Every structure is written in structure tokens, then in C-alpha cells.
Amino acid sequence: MSSPFMKKIRKSHRAEATELEIQVAQVLFDLENDSKNLKNALTGFSINSVKEIEVTATKTAVIVFFPLRFIRKIHKVQKTIVAELEKKLSGKNVIFVAQRKIQTQASGANAVQRSRTMKAVHEAILDDICFPSEIVGKRIRQLTDGSKHLKVYLDNRDRTTCASKIDTFVAAYNKLTGRNVSFGFMSNHQLQQVVA
């Protein structure tokens, strides 16, 4: 007989849940049952998968993938859920990313939806990784060898909460998209004042 928290993992019947996925599902199940504030948001919520990535030689992070339809519900309580998961997972940084599909354009087929293009999906992944911080600016730098480098500016008000997670954001975005990115902070995005 399966445990009740296994309903929090949504996988095909052929795929076995990893130990990390079971641990995250258990924490989410406990939060749903113990907290009145989180009960509404976590009722019916499930995760697709959980991946552990290496940020530095001594630091790892956890990326939790969930169905896109839950994104509004989760964004309301994500700070609380992430804080609880980070406590339970021995201080590893936790990132929630909605599961999205990139649709390639077949020759002679209808146009691809804007939300399913590679560029739109990569931008949405970047937004998910940085949430709840707000992205206030982006710069794409074209290098002489033809490669591009993306510089993302977060709101300076979030500096205290995000400064320790910057390397996690970089590693997660690189792992999920294969692209390089760097982060900075902007104090006044209307005047584009970059904080050193």
C-alpha cells in the first residue's frame, strides 16, 4: 500500500520516485496537514520531479518541478514553502520551476504558440528561478566569438534575501537551459542605475 504523501508525486506508472522526491513530497504533505495558511494552496498540488544540482564543490541546490497550472497558487505561498523545505533539506537552496514544453516548428505546420517557443520558455524559467525577486533589467552582450552573454538585474530591495543565492540561480539556469547568465542589482530601474 502506498503512503498518502505519494499522491504529491505525479509520475508515470513506469517511473519510480527517487528518495529526494519522496522526501520533498513528505514535507509538502506535512505542511498541507499542519498549516492552516498553506492548506488551500497545497490541496491538490503535486510535483513532477526533483533534481539536485551542484552549485559549487561544497554546495548543492534542489530544483522542484511542478505542473504549470499550479503556478499562481504556489507563488502566493512560495516563500513559506521554500523556507520549510530548506530547513528539512539541511540548508540546501530550493528553487521551484514550473514544467513547460518547448515546441519545435515542423515544416509546413501551423505557427508555434508564443508561450512554447524556446525563448519564451527560457525567459519563464529565469522568472521562476528568481521568484520572488523581481527582474528589473536584462542586457545581452554579444561577444567577438559570436556567443551571447545574458546579464540580469534584480531589484536592489531584494539584495539581502538574494545575495546568497546568486550562485544557485546561475547554476540552475545553466543546468536547465545550457546558457550562461550573470546577475546584478539595479537600484533605480527607471534611471537604470546599477549597484556595484
Side-chain angles (χ1 to χ4, degrees), residues 127 130-135 154-155 158-159 161-162 169 185:
D127 287 339
C130 297
F131 189 82
S133 299
E134 187 181 346
I135 296 174
L154 302 174
D155 199 340
D158 300 325
R159 185 180 204 124
T161 58
C162 288
F169 294 167
F185 294 95

Side-chain angles (χ1 to χ4, degrees), residues 56-186:
T56 62
T58 58
K59 188 176 179 183
T60 58
V62 175
I63 302 175
V64 179
F65 294 95
F66 63 94
L68 183 60
R69 68 178 179 267
F70 294 119
I71 196 161
R72 287 195 182 122
K73 275 178 129 179
I74 287 303
H75 278 247
K76 291 177 185 175
V77 293
Q78 186 169 340
K79 279 185 180 179
T80 310
I81 294 172
V82 165
E84 289 297 321
L85 278 171
E86 285 177 349
K87 281 185 213 170
K88 302 285 185 187
L89 298 175
S90 65
K92 295 177 185 172
N93 287 336
V94 177
I95 297 173
F96 276 80
V97 177
Q99 192 79 48
R100 294 178 172 84
K101 288 184 182 177
I102 296 175
Q103 185 176 350
T104 58
Q105 186 170 5
S107 59
N110 293 336
V112 178
Q113 287 180 8
R114 165 82 174 101
S115 64
R116 299 235 174 148
T117 63
M118 184 182 295
K119 183 176 181 178
V121 170
H122 286 184
E123 286 177 4
I125 287 172
L126 185 62
D127 287 339
D128 286 351
I129 288 171
C130 297
F131 189 82
S133 299
E134 187 181 346
I135 296 174
V136 294
K138 293 180 190 173
R139 304 284 183 271
I140 297 175
R141 189 170 159 204
Q142 188 80 30
L143 302 176
T144 55
D145 63 355
S147 63
K148 294 179 182 178
H149 184 78
L150 179 63
K151 175 84 173 180
V152 176
Y153 294 101
L154 302 174
D155 199 340
N156 196 38
R157 291 177 289 186
D158 300 325
R159 185 180 204 124
T160 55
T161 58
C162 288
S164 62
K165 294 185 178 185
I166 293 293
D167 52 349
T168 303
F169 294 167
V170 171
Y173 188 73
N174 190 315
K175 180 76 173 175
L176 296 176
T177 64
R179 296 183 174 187
N180 293 326
V181 68
S182 59
F183 288 88
F185 294 95
M186 197 176 281

